[in-house]
Amino acid sequence: AMNREQIERAADGMMQMALDNLERDGYVAFGALLLSKDTIMPVVLERVDAEQKERLGAFLRALASTGNYDAIAIVSEAWTLDASKEVTLPLQVPVSQHPNRVEGVFVQMASRHGDLMLTTHFKRDKASKPIRPRSVSKAWQPGSPYSNFGGLFACA
């Protein structure tokens, strides 16, 4: 089984790959990947929408419980709030319409060790091309099963 250090290395590699794609394509495609010690297997969705993500979450929870995978990675791009600016909760508007919104790239790596979250956000230049961010934050969290992809291994 992969240990925390191996999972962190894999997550770092996936974030760098996501940022490479961001620079090359202008966006990061949503992706789910199954990891075992020697292999990385992508899970392909026909389309990416709320219903498909909910189904995918249930499917990945079932896969996690088989014991065949060491970790499951979710790579995504989404609006997030700039933490350096004051954020008043509750939000009166969706994050996508909030004045302090920024585009973020996320790698969530679920495993028996908990959920590792890598996050970064980026700006775009005048031609709307993404500017590669210099820093990525990394935090381990106990797996919380209250989102589609949180705590995938909580019941494993």
Side-chain angles (χ1 to χ4, degrees), residues 56-148:
L56 177 63
F59 175 63
L60 294 178
R61 266 177 231 294
L63 285 179
S65 69
T66 65
N68 294 335
Y69 302 99
D70 294 325
I72 297 173
I74 303 292
V75 180
S76 60
E77 178 187 340
W79 290 111
T80 186
L81 293 179
D82 185 344
S84 68
K85 299 192 169 92
E86 191 182 330
V87 177
T88 49
L89 292 169
L91 287 173
Q92 307 302 321
V93 296
V95 172
S96 60
Q97 292 160 21
H98 197 281
N100 293 348
R101 74 174 189 246
V102 288
E103 288 179 276
V105 178
F106 304 88
V107 173
Q108 176 184 340
M109 189 77 88
S111 72
R112 285 173 188 75
H113 303 285
D115 287 0
L116 174 63
M117 280 298 287
L118 273 59
T119 57
T120 188
H121 52 81
F122 64 93
K123 294 186 167 39
R124 291 180 182 269
D125 65 18
K126 288 188 174 64
S128 182
K129 284 186 95 58
I131 300 166
R132 190 180 186 114
R134 288 197 186 83
S135 67
V136 173
S137 69
K138 188 187 296 189
W140 281 95
Q141 306 160 330
S144 158
Y146 300 112
S147 67
N148 283 340

Side-chain angles (χ1 to χ4, degrees), residues 30-85:
F30 177 87
L33 302 128
L34 307 173
L35 289 85
S36 57
K37 202 147 178 84
D38 319 317
T39 58
I40 296 178
M41 190 167 67
V43 177
V44 180
L45 293 181
E46 277 179 51
R47 60 184 197 282
V48 179
D49 59 29
E51 183 192 0
Q52 287 290 314
K53 285 182 180 178
E54 198 174 316
R55 283 192 182 153
L56 177 63
F59 175 63
L60 294 178
R61 266 177 231 294
L63 285 179
S65 69
T66 65
N68 294 335
Y69 302 99
D70 294 325
I72 297 173
I74 303 292
V75 180
S76 60
E77 178 187 340
W79 290 111
T80 186
L81 293 179
D82 185 344
S84 68
K85 299 192 169 92

